[in-house]
């Protein structure tokens, strides 16, 4: 699979093309009457209008061409001994480019000799995942952070419940399971958000230096209100922060699955950082080994009134 470190899939979308005359769907009904056929809505693609000048629909955020390319792609199951150097290193520069086609496509299991895990990894590269940063802190003085793309929501009532996956061993997981408190940072879908995600995807081996260099390298600071609380990142690449606590049930909010843990968290508060002013931004995404920003929209074609399908 292909995404930032310690991550699994979050979201999946598919669009189907169909003929006007053949494809119909049936509206459910509570009575025994015959359901009314509903013609499948024709869809077309409309470019999203960005407020910021210079945005390209469905664009990819790539390293600056004058810098060296990323030497090791971010994957769903990275080796846990991958560490951050304890010496300063240059930050990768990002820019935007038109969206390239997928670099690889999977094949049917019956028509290829590749192992099933490799086929599945290729398939997951075609799916776009959200990219967020999780921070936590235990009783010690060193905060922890990780970039991930398995973040998703599970329920809304009575309080919002979120979920994500962590491959172990992990310093961030140790801090999270000890303190039971963590923050989820929603990043902007632009080079500022990509820089933060890329910086914190390199591991926690350097300790506090990871956070100390956020300001100089990414223009992003961190704050901790009280001892033991998870840090809050504040900078041009952060949209919102979700203050979370591990769910009590089931299993204390941590479900072990092979070499991963499924983390279940309860959202306690939503914090808007940097004073807002980013109403035109969506969250950062990742697919096919590249950070991405939201581009075109697939909307109903003309002649179909929104919300009227299936009404008698």
């Amino acid at each position: 699979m292909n995404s930032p470190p310690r991550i699994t899939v979050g979201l999946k979308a598919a669009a189907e093309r169909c003929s006007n005359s053949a494809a119909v769907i049936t509206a459910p009904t509570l009575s025994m009457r015959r359901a009314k056929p509903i013609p499948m809505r024709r869809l077309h693609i409309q470019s999203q209008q960005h407020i910021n000048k210079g945005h390209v629909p469905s664009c990819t955020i790539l390293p600056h061409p004058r810098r060296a390319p990323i030497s090791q792609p971010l994957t769903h199951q990275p080796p846990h001994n991958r560490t951050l150097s304890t010496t300063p290193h240059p930050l990768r520069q990002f820019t935007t480019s038109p969206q390239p086609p997928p670099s690889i496509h999977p094949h049917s299991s019956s028509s290829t000799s590749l192992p099933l895990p490799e086929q599945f990894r290729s398939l997951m590269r075609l799916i776009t995942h959200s990219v967020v940063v999780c921070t936590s802190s235990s009783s010690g003085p060193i905060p922890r952070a990780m970039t991930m793309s398995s973040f998703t929501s599970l329920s809304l009532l009575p309080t919002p419940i979120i979920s994500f996956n962590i491959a172990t061993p992990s310093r961030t997981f140790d801090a999270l399971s000890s303190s039971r408190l963590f923050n989820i940072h929603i990043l902007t879908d632009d080079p500022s958000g990509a820089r933060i995600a890329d910086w914190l995807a390199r591991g926690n081996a350097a300790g506090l230096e990871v956070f100390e260099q956020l300001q100089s390298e990414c223009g992003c600071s961190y704050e901790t209100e009280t001892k033991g609380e998870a840090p809050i990142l504040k900078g041009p690449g952060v949209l919102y922060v979700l203050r979370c606590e591990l769910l009590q049930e089931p299993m204390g909010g941590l479900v072990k699955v092979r070499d991963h843990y499924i983390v279940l968290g309860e959202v306690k508060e939503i914090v808007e950082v940097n004073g807002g002013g980013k109403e035109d931004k969506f969250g950062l995404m990742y697919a096919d080994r590249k950070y991405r920003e939201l581009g075109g929209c697939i909307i109903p074609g003309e002649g179909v009134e929104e919300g009227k399908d299936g009404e008698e």
Side-chain angles (χ1 to χ4, degrees):
M1 294 179 224
N2 176 44
S3 65
R6 312 184 196 284
I7 18 185
T8 55
V9 305
L11 302 174
K12 179 169 64 175
E16 296 182 354
R17 300 180 59 189
C18 60
S19 141
N20 229 3
S21 58
V24 298
I25 57 177
T26 304
T29 178
L30 298 178
S31 67
M32 297 300 294
R33 294 179 302 164
R34 186 175 182 180
K36 178 181 178 180
I38 307 169
M40 182 70 76
R41 295 189 297 183
R42 287 173 297 192
L43 303 178
H44 69 276
I45 299 178
Q46 179 185 47
S47 295
Q48 178 186 348
Q49 299 299 320
H50 289 282
I51 296 178
N52 289 346
K53 183 179 179 182
H55 277 225
V56 181
S58 295
C59 76
T60 303
I61 300 174
L62 297 171
H64 195 282
R66 291 176 296 178
R67 300 295 182 93
I70 297 176
S71 59
Q72 178 162 349
L74 304 179
T75 62
H76 285 284
Q77 297 182 4
H80 60 258
N81 59 351
R82 187 177 171 199
T83 60
L84 178 68
S85 172
T86 56
T87 57
H89 51 79
L91 177 72
R92 296 187 182 101
Q93 297 298 316
F94 290 87
T95 184
T96 57
S97 75
Q99 178 173 254
S103 62
I104 190 171
H105 275 278
H107 298 281
S108 171
S109 298
S110 60
S111 62
T112 179
S113 59
L114 287 176
L116 183 59
E118 291 302 317
Q119 297 176 52
F120 189 68
R121 185 194 301 274
S122 299
L123 185 148
M124 296 313 300
R125 291 180 186 173
L126 305 180
I127 300 174
T128 302
H129 314 290
S130 62
V131 179
V132 301
V133 165
C134 174
T135 61
S136 188
S137 180
S138 60
S139 57
I142 301 178
R144 302 297 184 185
M146 63 178 290
T147 302
M148 60 190 185
S149 69
S150 56
F151 175 77
T152 187
S153 63
L154 290 182
S155 67
L156 293 176
L157 300 174
T159 56
I161 304 298
I162 56 91
S163 170
F164 55 90
N165 309 325
I166 299 182
T168 53
S170 162
R171 294 179 177 89
T172 303
F173 176 79
D174 293 341
L176 183 155
S177 59
S178 174
S179 67
R180 301 189 62 82
L181 300 174
F182 60 93
N183 293 330
I184 299 295
H185 297 74
I186 311 301
L187 307 177
T188 56
D189 62 341
D190 58 18
S192 295
R195 279 194 291 269
I196 296 173
D198 189 59
W199 181 260
L200 294 175
R202 304 182 188 186
N204 286 270
L208 193 59
E209 183 182 356
V210 176
F211 286 86
E212 291 175 343
Q213 291 185 347
L214 269 174
Q215 180 66 50
S216 60
E217 300 291 350
C218 305
C220 181
S221 62
Y222 76 98
E223 296 179 2
T224 302
E225 293 183 357
T226 60
K227 185 177 180 180
E229 284 195 352
I232 290 183
L233 306 182
K234 294 186 176 182
V238 182
L239 277 175
Y240 295 94
V241 179
L242 307 181
R243 289 183 178 271
C244 303
E245 183 177 346
L246 281 179
L247 196 63
Q248 291 297 329
E249 295 294 336
M251 303 176 68
L254 299 172
V255 182
K256 185 172 178 58
V257 181
R258 295 183 178 176
D259 62 342
H260 280 65
Y261 273 90
I262 300 174
V263 179
L264 303 174
E266 182 177 9
V267 179
K268 296 295 186 179
E269 183 185 4
I270 298 177
V271 180
E272 184 180 22
V273 298
N274 307 318
K278 297 182 179 180
E279 290 79 4
D280 62 317
K281 289 293 183 181
F282 286 87
L284 184 64
M285 296 171 289
Y286 194 83
D288 200 20
R289 297 183 178 181
K290 297 178 180 66
Y291 295 105
R292 299 177 184 269
E293 67 178 356
L294 187 64
C297 298
I298 301 175
I299 61 175
E302 296 180 1
V304 179
E305 189 174 356
E306 192 74 25
K308 296 296 183 179
D309 289 352
E311 294 186 3
E312 296 185 359

